PDB file of all heavy atoms in Angstrom:
ATOM      1  N   VAL I 246     -78.628   3.664   7.147  1.00  0.00           N
ATOM      2  CA  VAL I 246     -77.902   2.775   6.316  1.00  0.00           C
ATOM      3  C   VAL I 246     -78.512   2.471   5.093  1.00  0.00           C
ATOM      4  O   VAL I 246     -77.855   2.270   4.011  1.00  0.00           O
ATOM      5  CB  VAL I 246     -77.864   1.345   7.045  1.00  0.00           C
ATOM      6  CG1 VAL I 246     -77.415   0.256   6.178  1.00  0.00           C
ATOM      7  CG2 VAL I 246     -76.641   1.466   8.262  1.00  0.00           C
ATOM      8  N   MET I 247     -79.857   2.413   4.883  1.00  0.00           N
ATOM      9  CA  MET I 247     -80.509   2.112   3.624  1.00  0.00           C
ATOM     10  C   MET I 247     -80.921   3.413   2.822  1.00  0.00           C
ATOM     11  O   MET I 247     -81.168   3.171   1.666  1.00  0.00           O
ATOM     12  CB  MET I 247     -81.762   1.329   4.053  1.00  0.00           C
ATOM     13  CG  MET I 247     -81.544   0.072   4.717  1.00  0.00           C
ATOM     14  SD  MET I 247     -80.130  -1.021   4.213  1.00  0.00           S
ATOM     15  CE  MET I 247     -80.982  -1.680   2.735  1.00  0.00           C
ATOM     16  N   LYS I 248     -80.999   4.547   3.456  1.00  0.00           N
ATOM     17  CA  LYS I 248     -81.477   5.650   2.759  1.00  0.00           C
ATOM     18  C   LYS I 248     -80.620   6.800   2.657  1.00  0.00           C
ATOM     19  O   LYS I 248     -80.469   7.666   1.732  1.00  0.00           O
ATOM     20  CB  LYS I 248     -82.877   6.145   3.252  1.00  0.00           C
ATOM     21  CG  LYS I 248     -84.019   5.037   3.248  1.00  0.00           C
ATOM     22  CD  LYS I 248     -85.325   5.521   3.875  1.00  0.00           C
ATOM     23  CE  LYS I 248     -86.298   4.504   3.831  1.00  0.00           C
ATOM     24  NZ  LYS I 248     -87.661   4.930   4.449  1.00  0.00           N
ATOM     25  N   ASP I 249     -79.700   6.975   3.672  1.00  0.00           N
ATOM     26  CA  ASP I 249     -78.889   8.180   3.768  1.00  0.00           C
ATOM     27  C   ASP I 249     -77.395   7.626   3.660  1.00  0.00           C
ATOM     28  O   ASP I 249     -76.661   7.799   4.645  1.00  0.00           O
ATOM     29  CB  ASP I 249     -79.140   8.865   5.045  1.00  0.00           C
ATOM     30  CG  ASP I 249     -78.302  10.131   5.304  1.00  0.00           C
ATOM     31  OD1 ASP I 249     -77.849  10.743   4.152  1.00  0.00           O
ATOM     32  OD2 ASP I 249     -77.940  10.641   6.355  1.00  0.00           O
ATOM     33  N   ILE I 250     -77.014   7.014   2.558  1.00  0.00           N
ATOM     34  CA  ILE I 250     -75.823   6.280   2.443  1.00  0.00           C
ATOM     35  C   ILE I 250     -74.687   7.272   2.088  1.00  0.00           C
ATOM     36  O   ILE I 250     -74.758   8.058   1.205  1.00  0.00           O
ATOM     37  CB  ILE I 250     -75.962   5.177   1.438  1.00  0.00           C
ATOM     38  CG1 ILE I 250     -77.158   4.235   1.568  1.00  0.00           C
ATOM     39  CG2 ILE I 250     -74.687   4.528   1.074  1.00  0.00           C
ATOM     40  CD1 ILE I 250     -77.589   3.409   0.478  1.00  0.00           C
ATOM     41  N   LYS I 251     -73.722   7.079   3.057  1.00  0.00           N
ATOM     42  CA  LYS I 251     -72.272   7.702   2.614  1.00  0.00           C
ATOM     43  C   LYS I 251     -71.434   6.664   2.168  1.00  0.00           C
ATOM     44  O   LYS I 251     -71.378   5.474   2.612  1.00  0.00           O
ATOM     45  CB  LYS I 251     -71.684   8.286   3.904  1.00  0.00           C
ATOM     46  CG  LYS I 251     -72.616   9.298   4.745  1.00  0.00           C
ATOM     47  CD  LYS I 251     -72.707  10.574   3.953  1.00  0.00           C
ATOM     48  CE  LYS I 251     -73.428  11.529   4.755  1.00  0.00           C
ATOM     49  NZ  LYS I 251     -74.774  11.279   5.095  1.00  0.00           N
ATOM     50  N   ARG I 252     -70.703   6.992   1.018  1.00  0.00           N
ATOM     51  CA  ARG I 252     -70.047   5.978   0.287  1.00  0.00           C
ATOM     52  C   ARG I 252     -68.567   5.991   0.494  1.00  0.00           C
ATOM     53  O   ARG I 252     -68.019   7.033   0.707  1.00  0.00           O
ATOM     54  CB  ARG I 252     -70.424   6.054  -1.251  1.00  0.00           C
ATOM     55  CG  ARG I 252     -71.853   5.612  -1.377  1.00  0.00           C
ATOM     56  CD  ARG I 252     -72.249   5.450  -2.929  1.00  0.00           C
ATOM     57  NE  ARG I 252     -73.665   5.115  -3.028  1.00  0.00           N
ATOM     58  CZ  ARG I 252     -74.224   3.882  -2.853  1.00  0.00           C
ATOM     59  NH1 ARG I 252     -73.560   2.846  -2.395  1.00  0.00           N
ATOM     60  NH2 ARG I 252     -75.521   3.833  -2.921  1.00  0.00           N
ATOM     61  N   PRO I 253     -67.836   4.822   0.402  1.00  0.00           N
ATOM     62  CA  PRO I 253     -68.301   3.499  -0.015  1.00  0.00           C
ATOM     63  C   PRO I 253     -69.207   2.864   1.108  1.00  0.00           C
ATOM     64  O   PRO I 253     -68.853   3.004   2.221  1.00  0.00           O
ATOM     65  CB  PRO I 253     -67.025   2.700  -0.248  1.00  0.00           C
ATOM     66  CG  PRO I 253     -65.960   3.695  -0.320  1.00  0.00           C
ATOM     67  CD  PRO I 253     -66.339   4.853   0.500  1.00  0.00           C
ATOM     68  N   PHE I 254     -70.202   2.013   0.631  1.00  0.00           N
ATOM     69  CA  PHE I 254     -71.031   1.361   1.439  1.00  0.00           C
ATOM     70  C   PHE I 254     -70.629  -0.082   1.474  1.00  0.00           C
ATOM     71  O   PHE I 254     -70.772  -0.814   0.383  1.00  0.00           O
ATOM     72  CB  PHE I 254     -72.516   1.556   1.096  1.00  0.00           C
ATOM     73  CG  PHE I 254     -73.570   0.789   1.871  1.00  0.00           C
ATOM     74  CD1 PHE I 254     -73.209   0.077   3.055  1.00  0.00           C
ATOM     75  CD2 PHE I 254     -74.908   0.764   1.382  1.00  0.00           C
ATOM     76  CE1 PHE I 254     -74.243  -0.557   3.750  1.00  0.00           C
ATOM     77  CE2 PHE I 254     -75.877   0.101   1.993  1.00  0.00           C
ATOM     78  CZ  PHE I 254     -75.537  -0.533   3.315  1.00  0.00           C
ATOM     79  N   THR I 255     -70.372  -0.654   2.590  1.00  0.00           N
ATOM     80  CA  THR I 255     -69.914  -2.018   2.648  1.00  0.00           C
ATOM     81  C   THR I 255     -70.927  -2.893   3.603  1.00  0.00           C
ATOM     82  O   THR I 255     -71.150  -2.522   4.651  1.00  0.00           O
ATOM     83  CB  THR I 255     -68.563  -2.316   3.084  1.00  0.00           C
ATOM     84  OG1 THR I 255     -67.551  -1.703   2.237  1.00  0.00           O
ATOM     85  CG2 THR I 255     -68.192  -3.779   3.231  1.00  0.00           C
ATOM     86  N   ALA I 256     -71.468  -4.061   3.103  1.00  0.00           N
ATOM     87  CA  ALA I 256     -72.246  -4.951   3.868  1.00  0.00           C
ATOM     88  C   ALA I 256     -71.504  -6.206   4.027  1.00  0.00           C
ATOM     89  O   ALA I 256     -70.894  -6.694   3.086  1.00  0.00           O
ATOM     90  CB  ALA I 256     -73.585  -5.141   3.236  1.00  0.00           C
ATOM     91  N   ILE I 257     -71.472  -6.601   5.227  1.00  0.00           N
ATOM     92  CA  ILE I 257     -70.957  -7.939   5.522  1.00  0.00           C
ATOM     93  C   ILE I 257     -71.969  -8.905   6.038  1.00  0.00           C
ATOM     94  O   ILE I 257     -72.697  -8.658   7.085  1.00  0.00           O
ATOM     95  CB  ILE I 257     -69.749  -7.825   6.659  1.00  0.00           C
ATOM     96  CG1 ILE I 257     -68.771  -6.651   6.429  1.00  0.00           C
ATOM     97  CG2 ILE I 257     -69.146  -9.149   7.026  1.00  0.00           C
ATOM     98  CD1 ILE I 257     -68.790  -5.621   7.370  1.00  0.00           C
ATOM     99  N   MET I 258     -72.214  -9.892   5.157  1.00  0.00           N
ATOM    100  CA  MET I 258     -73.226 -10.909   5.398  1.00  0.00           C
ATOM    101  C   MET I 258     -72.598 -12.213   5.833  1.00  0.00           C
ATOM    102  O   MET I 258     -71.918 -12.798   5.001  1.00  0.00           O
ATOM    103  CB  MET I 258     -74.123 -11.094   4.294  1.00  0.00           C
ATOM    104  CG  MET I 258     -75.050  -9.915   3.890  1.00  0.00           C
ATOM    105  SD  MET I 258     -76.399  -9.879   5.066  1.00  0.00           S
ATOM    106  CE  MET I 258     -76.233  -8.171   5.814  1.00  0.00           C
ATOM    107  N   GLY I 259     -72.932 -12.827   6.991  1.00  0.00           N
ATOM    108  CA  GLY I 259     -72.500 -14.041   7.372  1.00  0.00           C
ATOM    109  C   GLY I 259     -73.562 -15.043   7.572  1.00  0.00           C
ATOM    110  O   GLY I 259     -74.771 -14.752   7.151  1.00  0.00           O
ATOM    111  N   GLY I 260     -73.353 -16.122   8.266  1.00  0.00           N
ATOM    112  CA  GLY I 260     -74.346 -17.082   8.515  1.00  0.00           C
ATOM    113  C   GLY I 260     -74.077 -18.380   7.692  1.00  0.00           C
ATOM    114  O   GLY I 260     -73.248 -18.497   6.816  1.00  0.00           O
ATOM    115  N   SER I 261     -74.820 -19.447   8.112  1.00  0.00           N
ATOM    116  CA  SER I 261     -74.565 -20.751   7.511  1.00  0.00           C
ATOM    117  C   SER I 261     -75.168 -21.017   6.176  1.00  0.00           C
ATOM    118  O   SER I 261     -74.731 -21.770   5.438  1.00  0.00           O
ATOM    119  CB  SER I 261     -75.048 -21.761   8.527  1.00  0.00           C
ATOM    120  OG  SER I 261     -76.454 -21.762   8.709  1.00  0.00           O
ATOM    121  N   LYS I 262     -76.301 -20.387   5.930  1.00  0.00           N
ATOM    122  CA  LYS I 262     -77.033 -20.606   4.707  1.00  0.00           C
ATOM    123  C   LYS I 262     -77.298 -19.327   3.740  1.00  0.00           C
ATOM    124  O   LYS I 262     -77.858 -18.485   4.334  1.00  0.00           O
ATOM    125  CB  LYS I 262     -78.477 -21.294   5.006  1.00  0.00           C
ATOM    126  CG  LYS I 262     -78.321 -22.703   5.711  1.00  0.00           C
ATOM    127  CD  LYS I 262     -79.638 -23.320   6.045  1.00  0.00           C
ATOM    128  CE  LYS I 262     -79.501 -24.595   6.648  1.00  0.00           C
ATOM    129  NZ  LYS I 262     -80.736 -25.261   6.906  1.00  0.00           N
ATOM    130  N   VAL I 263     -77.071 -19.501   2.533  1.00  0.00           N
ATOM    131  CA  VAL I 263     -77.296 -18.550   1.676  1.00  0.00           C
ATOM    132  C   VAL I 263     -78.843 -18.303   1.404  1.00  0.00           C
ATOM    133  O   VAL I 263     -79.341 -17.181   1.181  1.00  0.00           O
ATOM    134  CB  VAL I 263     -76.624 -18.665   0.280  1.00  0.00           C
ATOM    135  CG1 VAL I 263     -77.132 -19.944  -0.485  1.00  0.00           C
ATOM    136  CG2 VAL I 263     -76.687 -17.466  -0.650  1.00  0.00           C
ATOM    137  N   SER I 264     -79.568 -19.458   1.583  1.00  0.00           N
ATOM    138  CA  SER I 264     -80.913 -19.405   1.285  1.00  0.00           C
ATOM    139  C   SER I 264     -81.786 -18.495   2.376  1.00  0.00           C
ATOM    140  O   SER I 264     -82.721 -17.937   2.017  1.00  0.00           O
ATOM    141  CB  SER I 264     -81.618 -20.806   1.329  1.00  0.00           C
ATOM    142  OG  SER I 264     -81.311 -21.419   2.639  1.00  0.00           O
ATOM    143  N   THR I 265     -81.195 -18.428   3.598  1.00  0.00           N
ATOM    144  CA  THR I 265     -81.912 -17.552   4.550  1.00  0.00           C
ATOM    145  C   THR I 265     -81.557 -15.965   4.337  1.00  0.00           C
ATOM    146  O   THR I 265     -82.355 -15.325   4.942  1.00  0.00           O
ATOM    147  CB  THR I 265     -81.503 -18.036   5.939  1.00  0.00           C
ATOM    148  OG1 THR I 265     -80.094 -17.785   6.104  1.00  0.00           O
ATOM    149  CG2 THR I 265     -81.847 -19.424   6.173  1.00  0.00           C
ATOM    150  N   LYS I 266     -80.602 -15.762   3.508  1.00  0.00           N
ATOM    151  CA  LYS I 266     -80.234 -14.355   3.323  1.00  0.00           C
ATOM    152  C   LYS I 266     -80.431 -13.944   1.983  1.00  0.00           C
ATOM    153  O   LYS I 266     -80.032 -12.681   1.608  1.00  0.00           O
ATOM    154  CB  LYS I 266     -78.718 -14.158   3.757  1.00  0.00           C
ATOM    155  CG  LYS I 266     -78.379 -14.604   5.197  1.00  0.00           C
ATOM    156  CD  LYS I 266     -78.834 -13.544   6.109  1.00  0.00           C
ATOM    157  CE  LYS I 266     -78.404 -13.999   7.571  1.00  0.00           C
ATOM    158  NZ  LYS I 266     -77.133 -13.804   7.967  1.00  0.00           N
ATOM    159  N   ILE I 267     -80.990 -14.717   0.999  1.00  0.00           N
ATOM    160  CA  ILE I 267     -81.047 -14.362  -0.380  1.00  0.00           C
ATOM    161  C   ILE I 267     -81.839 -13.032  -0.686  1.00  0.00           C
ATOM    162  O   ILE I 267     -81.392 -12.211  -1.421  1.00  0.00           O
ATOM    163  CB  ILE I 267     -81.839 -15.518  -1.202  1.00  0.00           C
ATOM    164  CG1 ILE I 267     -81.747 -15.086  -2.636  1.00  0.00           C
ATOM    165  CG2 ILE I 267     -83.177 -15.906  -0.695  1.00  0.00           C
ATOM    166  CD1 ILE I 267     -80.443 -14.978  -3.348  1.00  0.00           C
ATOM    167  N   GLU I 268     -83.010 -12.728   0.041  1.00  0.00           N
ATOM    168  CA  GLU I 268     -83.707 -11.564  -0.162  1.00  0.00           C
ATOM    169  C   GLU I 268     -82.950 -10.366   0.242  1.00  0.00           C
ATOM    170  O   GLU I 268     -82.934  -9.243  -0.319  1.00  0.00           O
ATOM    171  CB  GLU I 268     -85.115 -11.679   0.432  1.00  0.00           C
ATOM    172  CG  GLU I 268     -85.999 -12.660  -0.152  1.00  0.00           C
ATOM    173  CD  GLU I 268     -87.426 -12.600   0.455  1.00  0.00           C
ATOM    174  OE1 GLU I 268     -87.685 -11.767   1.286  1.00  0.00           O
ATOM    175  OE2 GLU I 268     -88.182 -13.428   0.068  1.00  0.00           O
ATOM    176  N   ILE I 269     -82.174 -10.518   1.396  1.00  0.00           N
ATOM    177  CA  ILE I 269     -81.492  -9.429   1.930  1.00  0.00           C
ATOM    178  C   ILE I 269     -80.259  -9.095   0.836  1.00  0.00           C
ATOM    179  O   ILE I 269     -79.988  -8.010   0.610  1.00  0.00           O
ATOM    180  CB  ILE I 269     -80.786  -9.760   3.266  1.00  0.00           C
ATOM    181  CG1 ILE I 269     -81.912 -10.140   4.351  1.00  0.00           C
ATOM    182  CG2 ILE I 269     -79.852  -8.644   3.769  1.00  0.00           C
ATOM    183  CD1 ILE I 269     -81.487 -10.845   5.580  1.00  0.00           C
ATOM    184  N   ILE I 270     -79.601 -10.140   0.444  1.00  0.00           N
ATOM    185  CA  ILE I 270     -78.387 -10.015  -0.400  1.00  0.00           C
ATOM    186  C   ILE I 270     -78.918  -9.400  -1.688  1.00  0.00           C
ATOM    187  O   ILE I 270     -78.209  -8.405  -2.190  1.00  0.00           O
ATOM    188  CB  ILE I 270     -77.883 -11.380  -0.717  1.00  0.00           C
ATOM    189  CG1 ILE I 270     -77.149 -11.874   0.558  1.00  0.00           C
ATOM    190  CG2 ILE I 270     -76.857 -11.298  -1.924  1.00  0.00           C
ATOM    191  CD1 ILE I 270     -76.641 -13.309   0.422  1.00  0.00           C
ATOM    192  N   GLU I 271     -80.043  -9.872  -2.375  1.00  0.00           N
ATOM    193  CA  GLU I 271     -80.606  -9.213  -3.471  1.00  0.00           C
ATOM    194  C   GLU I 271     -80.907  -7.691  -3.375  1.00  0.00           C
ATOM    195  O   GLU I 271     -80.585  -6.835  -4.344  1.00  0.00           O
ATOM    196  CB  GLU I 271     -81.758 -10.014  -4.136  1.00  0.00           C
ATOM    197  CG  GLU I 271     -81.318 -11.339  -4.546  1.00  0.00           C
ATOM    198  CD  GLU I 271     -82.347 -12.186  -5.150  1.00  0.00           C
ATOM    199  OE1 GLU I 271     -83.679 -11.880  -4.983  1.00  0.00           O
ATOM    200  OE2 GLU I 271     -82.128 -13.024  -5.993  1.00  0.00           O
ATOM    201  N   ASN I 272     -81.511  -7.388  -2.226  1.00  0.00           N
ATOM    202  CA  ASN I 272     -81.828  -5.917  -1.946  1.00  0.00           C
ATOM    203  C   ASN I 272     -80.490  -5.180  -1.783  1.00  0.00           C
ATOM    204  O   ASN I 272     -80.454  -4.062  -2.313  1.00  0.00           O
ATOM    205  CB  ASN I 272     -82.566  -5.783  -0.714  1.00  0.00           C
ATOM    206  CG  ASN I 272     -83.195  -4.373  -0.665  1.00  0.00           C
ATOM    207  OD1 ASN I 272     -83.703  -3.752  -1.512  1.00  0.00           O
ATOM    208  ND2 ASN I 272     -83.121  -3.865   0.725  1.00  0.00           N
ATOM    209  N   LEU I 273     -79.562  -5.711  -1.076  1.00  0.00           N
ATOM    210  CA  LEU I 273     -78.167  -4.958  -0.789  1.00  0.00           C
ATOM    211  C   LEU I 273     -77.467  -4.651  -2.128  1.00  0.00           C
ATOM    212  O   LEU I 273     -76.790  -3.831  -2.346  1.00  0.00           O
ATOM    213  CB  LEU I 273     -77.455  -5.758   0.100  1.00  0.00           C
ATOM    214  CG  LEU I 273     -77.790  -5.784   1.622  1.00  0.00           C
ATOM    215  CD1 LEU I 273     -77.047  -6.724   2.526  1.00  0.00           C
ATOM    216  CD2 LEU I 273     -77.654  -4.363   2.086  1.00  0.00           C
ATOM    217  N   LEU I 274     -77.597  -5.783  -3.104  1.00  0.00           N
ATOM    218  CA  LEU I 274     -76.853  -5.547  -4.383  1.00  0.00           C
ATOM    219  C   LEU I 274     -77.249  -4.184  -5.156  1.00  0.00           C
ATOM    220  O   LEU I 274     -76.621  -3.781  -6.052  1.00  0.00           O
ATOM    221  CB  LEU I 274     -77.104  -6.793  -5.235  1.00  0.00           C
ATOM    222  CG  LEU I 274     -76.308  -7.967  -4.784  1.00  0.00           C
ATOM    223  CD1 LEU I 274     -76.693  -9.295  -5.741  1.00  0.00           C
ATOM    224  CD2 LEU I 274     -74.898  -7.817  -4.954  1.00  0.00           C
ATOM    225  N   THR I 275     -78.499  -3.726  -4.791  1.00  0.00           N
ATOM    226  CA  THR I 275     -78.976  -2.530  -5.388  1.00  0.00           C
ATOM    227  C   THR I 275     -78.536  -1.258  -4.679  1.00  0.00           C
ATOM    228  O   THR I 275     -78.747  -0.227  -5.139  1.00  0.00           O
ATOM    229  CB  THR I 275     -80.527  -2.577  -5.499  1.00  0.00           C
ATOM    230  OG1 THR I 275     -80.998  -2.283  -4.154  1.00  0.00           O
ATOM    231  CG2 THR I 275     -81.168  -3.683  -6.138  1.00  0.00           C
ATOM    232  N   LYS I 276     -77.692  -1.575  -3.582  1.00  0.00           N
ATOM    233  CA  LYS I 276     -77.422  -0.288  -2.700  1.00  0.00           C
ATOM    234  C   LYS I 276     -75.899  -0.238  -2.430  1.00  0.00           C
ATOM    235  O   LYS I 276     -75.407   0.888  -2.322  1.00  0.00           O
ATOM    236  CB  LYS I 276     -78.217  -0.461  -1.409  1.00  0.00           C
ATOM    237  CG  LYS I 276     -79.651  -0.266  -1.648  1.00  0.00           C
ATOM    238  CD  LYS I 276     -80.408  -0.398  -0.282  1.00  0.00           C
ATOM    239  CE  LYS I 276     -81.943  -0.502  -0.478  1.00  0.00           C
ATOM    240  NZ  LYS I 276     -82.351   0.767  -1.069  1.00  0.00           N
ATOM    241  N   VAL I 277     -75.217  -1.339  -2.189  1.00  0.00           N
ATOM    242  CA  VAL I 277     -73.887  -1.334  -1.683  1.00  0.00           C
ATOM    243  C   VAL I 277     -72.789  -1.279  -2.780  1.00  0.00           C
ATOM    244  O   VAL I 277     -73.148  -1.464  -3.888  1.00  0.00           O
ATOM    245  CB  VAL I 277     -73.442  -2.629  -0.921  1.00  0.00           C
ATOM    246  CG1 VAL I 277     -74.520  -2.770   0.247  1.00  0.00           C
ATOM    247  CG2 VAL I 277     -73.608  -3.827  -1.820  1.00  0.00           C
ATOM    248  N   ASP I 278     -71.584  -0.717  -2.323  1.00  0.00           N
ATOM    249  CA  ASP I 278     -70.441  -0.768  -3.247  1.00  0.00           C
ATOM    250  C   ASP I 278     -69.671  -2.071  -3.049  1.00  0.00           C
ATOM    251  O   ASP I 278     -69.126  -2.554  -4.096  1.00  0.00           O
ATOM    252  CB  ASP I 278     -69.552   0.394  -2.897  1.00  0.00           C
ATOM    253  CG  ASP I 278     -70.296   1.815  -3.033  1.00  0.00           C
ATOM    254  OD1 ASP I 278     -70.685   2.058  -4.139  1.00  0.00           O
ATOM    255  OD2 ASP I 278     -70.594   2.411  -2.043  1.00  0.00           O
ATOM    256  N   ASN I 279     -69.572  -2.554  -1.853  1.00  0.00           N
ATOM    257  CA  ASN I 279     -68.941  -3.842  -1.551  1.00  0.00           C
ATOM    258  C   ASN I 279     -69.764  -4.777  -0.862  1.00  0.00           C
ATOM    259  O   ASN I 279     -70.387  -4.385   0.148  1.00  0.00           O
ATOM    260  CB  ASN I 279     -67.721  -3.483  -0.725  1.00  0.00           C
ATOM    261  CG  ASN I 279     -66.818  -2.465  -1.281  1.00  0.00           C
ATOM    262  OD1 ASN I 279     -66.248  -2.563  -2.335  1.00  0.00           O
ATOM    263  ND2 ASN I 279     -66.626  -1.291  -0.434  1.00  0.00           N
ATOM    264  N   LEU I 280     -69.741  -6.024  -1.067  1.00  0.00           N
ATOM    265  CA  LEU I 280     -70.513  -7.062  -0.416  1.00  0.00           C
ATOM    266  C   LEU I 280     -69.507  -8.200   0.090  1.00  0.00           C
ATOM    267  O   LEU I 280     -68.811  -8.816  -0.784  1.00  0.00           O
ATOM    268  CB  LEU I 280     -71.708  -7.614  -1.195  1.00  0.00           C
ATOM    269  CG  LEU I 280     -72.507  -8.715  -0.639  1.00  0.00           C
ATOM    270  CD1 LEU I 280     -73.243  -8.149   0.679  1.00  0.00           C
ATOM    271  CD2 LEU I 280     -73.490  -9.173  -1.527  1.00  0.00           C
ATOM    272  N   ILE I 281     -69.289  -8.253   1.414  1.00  0.00           N
ATOM    273  CA  ILE I 281     -68.422  -9.309   1.891  1.00  0.00           C
ATOM    274  C   ILE I 281     -69.373 -10.506   2.348  1.00  0.00           C
ATOM    275  O   ILE I 281     -70.266 -10.377   3.123  1.00  0.00           O
ATOM    276  CB  ILE I 281     -67.673  -8.805   3.067  1.00  0.00           C
ATOM    277  CG1 ILE I 281     -66.680  -7.805   2.528  1.00  0.00           C
ATOM    278  CG2 ILE I 281     -66.939 -10.002   3.701  1.00  0.00           C
ATOM    279  CD1 ILE I 281     -65.877  -7.119   3.671  1.00  0.00           C
ATOM    280  N   LEU I 282     -69.224 -11.761   1.755  1.00  0.00           N
ATOM    281  CA  LEU I 282     -69.984 -12.867   2.155  1.00  0.00           C
ATOM    282  C   LEU I 282     -69.022 -13.806   2.898  1.00  0.00           C
ATOM    283  O   LEU I 282     -67.977 -14.123   2.439  1.00  0.00           O
ATOM    284  CB  LEU I 282     -70.629 -13.587   0.935  1.00  0.00           C
ATOM    285  CG  LEU I 282     -71.493 -12.713   0.061  1.00  0.00           C
ATOM    286  CD1 LEU I 282     -72.035 -13.572  -1.066  1.00  0.00           C
ATOM    287  CD2 LEU I 282     -72.759 -12.343   0.989  1.00  0.00           C
ATOM    288  N   CYS I 283     -69.348 -14.240   4.060  1.00  0.00           N
ATOM    289  CA  CYS I 283     -68.596 -14.995   4.919  1.00  0.00           C
ATOM    290  C   CYS I 283     -69.390 -16.051   5.712  1.00  0.00           C
ATOM    291  O   CYS I 283     -70.578 -16.174   5.448  1.00  0.00           O
ATOM    292  CB  CYS I 283     -67.777 -14.076   5.847  1.00  0.00           C
ATOM    293  SG  CYS I 283     -68.731 -12.986   6.952  1.00  0.00           S
ATOM    294  N   GLY I 284     -68.769 -16.803   6.698  1.00  0.00           N
ATOM    295  CA  GLY I 284     -69.444 -17.683   7.500  1.00  0.00           C
ATOM    296  C   GLY I 284     -69.697 -18.936   6.586  1.00  0.00           C
ATOM    297  O   GLY I 284     -69.093 -19.312   5.575  1.00  0.00           O
ATOM    298  N   GLY I 285     -70.589 -19.892   7.145  1.00  0.00           N
ATOM    299  CA  GLY I 285     -70.838 -21.130   6.411  1.00  0.00           C
ATOM    300  C   GLY I 285     -71.323 -21.009   4.975  1.00  0.00           C
ATOM    301  O   GLY I 285     -70.986 -21.888   4.208  1.00  0.00           O
ATOM    302  N   MET I 286     -71.995 -19.938   4.660  1.00  0.00           N
ATOM    303  CA  MET I 286     -72.488 -19.726   3.230  1.00  0.00           C
ATOM    304  C   MET I 286     -71.339 -19.768   2.270  1.00  0.00           C
ATOM    305  O   MET I 286     -71.431 -19.973   1.022  1.00  0.00           O
ATOM    306  CB  MET I 286     -73.397 -18.547   3.068  1.00  0.00           C
ATOM    307  CG  MET I 286     -72.704 -17.264   3.160  1.00  0.00           C
ATOM    308  SD  MET I 286     -73.707 -15.900   2.697  1.00  0.00           S
ATOM    309  CE  MET I 286     -74.733 -15.664   4.071  1.00  0.00           C
ATOM    310  N   THR I 287     -70.072 -19.358   2.694  1.00  0.00           N
ATOM    311  CA  THR I 287     -68.920 -19.283   1.828  1.00  0.00           C
ATOM    312  C   THR I 287     -68.803 -20.568   0.980  1.00  0.00           C
ATOM    313  O   THR I 287     -68.527 -20.510  -0.219  1.00  0.00           O
ATOM    314  CB  THR I 287     -67.769 -19.227   2.685  1.00  0.00           C
ATOM    315  OG1 THR I 287     -67.757 -17.966   3.414  1.00  0.00           O
ATOM    316  CG2 THR I 287     -66.457 -19.070   1.822  1.00  0.00           C
ATOM    317  N   TYR I 288     -69.014 -21.675   1.610  1.00  0.00           N
ATOM    318  CA  TYR I 288     -68.700 -22.950   1.017  1.00  0.00           C
ATOM    319  C   TYR I 288     -69.705 -23.380   0.043  1.00  0.00           C
ATOM    320  O   TYR I 288     -69.255 -24.158  -0.966  1.00  0.00           O
ATOM    321  CB  TYR I 288     -68.502 -24.064   2.055  1.00  0.00           C
ATOM    322  CG  TYR I 288     -67.441 -23.565   3.069  1.00  0.00           C
ATOM    323  CD1 TYR I 288     -67.798 -23.003   4.247  1.00  0.00           C
ATOM    324  CD2 TYR I 288     -66.067 -23.395   2.755  1.00  0.00           C
ATOM    325  CE1 TYR I 288     -66.884 -22.475   5.144  1.00  0.00           C
ATOM    326  CE2 TYR I 288     -65.156 -22.892   3.459  1.00  0.00           C
ATOM    327  CZ  TYR I 288     -65.558 -22.376   4.822  1.00  0.00           C
ATOM    328  OH  TYR I 288     -64.601 -21.698   5.593  1.00  0.00           O
TER     329      TYR I 288
END
């Protein structure tokens, strides 16, 4: 997923708090084509 990427690469990140996923999201922004944010952090 992180090194042998076939594109398009889509990550779906859920959960209640953006603060608990911030480092993951920032790292994914350097790798993915699409980032879907859902769950409680949406609001």
Side-chain angles (χ1 to χ4, degrees):
V246 163
M247 304 308 289
K248 297 176 183 177
D249 183 22
I250 300 168
K251 303 293 187 293
R252 298 193 180 279
F254 177 11
T255 297
I257 306 119
M258 288 284 122
S261 59
K262 295 181 178 180
V263 64
S264 59
T265 61
K266 300 285 176 76
I267 182 62
E268 291 183 6
I269 302 166
I270 291 170
E271 288 187 338
N272 190 46
L273 287 172
L274 285 175
T275 67
K276 299 179 183 296
V277 301
D278 302 291
N279 307 302
L280 178 60
I281 293 172
L282 298 180
C283 55
M286 73 169 77
T287 299
Y288 305 101

